[in-house]
Amino acid sequence: MRREILQLVYERAAVALAAVQYVELHGTGTKVGDPIEAATLGAALGSARSVDDPLLVGSAKTNVGHLEGAAGIVGLLKAVLSIEH
């Protein structure tokens, strides 16, 4: 179910699944949550990619902890800096 919702979000945003180059994951740092999040992302976006074109993922939250709203800002800054550099 989650895979279909994620695919629908990209479809409604008119973003091709294969065009996605990087995803900043929530990344709680838990043994349960992180694998579920990564597996769902892989199921939703993985079928649109070849082995030679991996989807890059990351999570700044695991480095800075639960900072409430600040954790989201850190993730956004990381994504912007990744694109810039």
Side-chain angles (χ1 to χ4, degrees):
M1 178 73 167
R2 292 179 185 133
R3 173 182 51 115
E4 291 84 5
I5 292 171
L6 190 54
Q7 289 171 331
L8 180 62
V9 167
Y10 281 102
E11 181 182 323
R12 287 187 177 174
V15 175
L17 297 178
V20 179
Q21 297 178 13
Y22 175 81
V23 175
E24 180 72 14
L25 298 176
H26 182 66
T28 60
T30 65
K31 293 180 181 180
V32 175
D34 289 354
I36 292 170
E37 182 179 26
T40 301
L41 183 65
L45 302 179
S47 62
R49 310 191 78 78
S50 70
V51 175
D52 299 330
D53 185 29
L55 175 64
L56 302 177
V57 299
S59 176
K61 187 173 186 176
T62 57
N63 296 331
V64 298
H66 295 273
L67 300 174
E68 300 303 326
I73 296 298
V74 169
L76 176 63
L77 289 172
K78 177 183 172 188
V80 168
L81 289 171
S82 296
I83 292 168
E84 182 180 332
H85 295 285

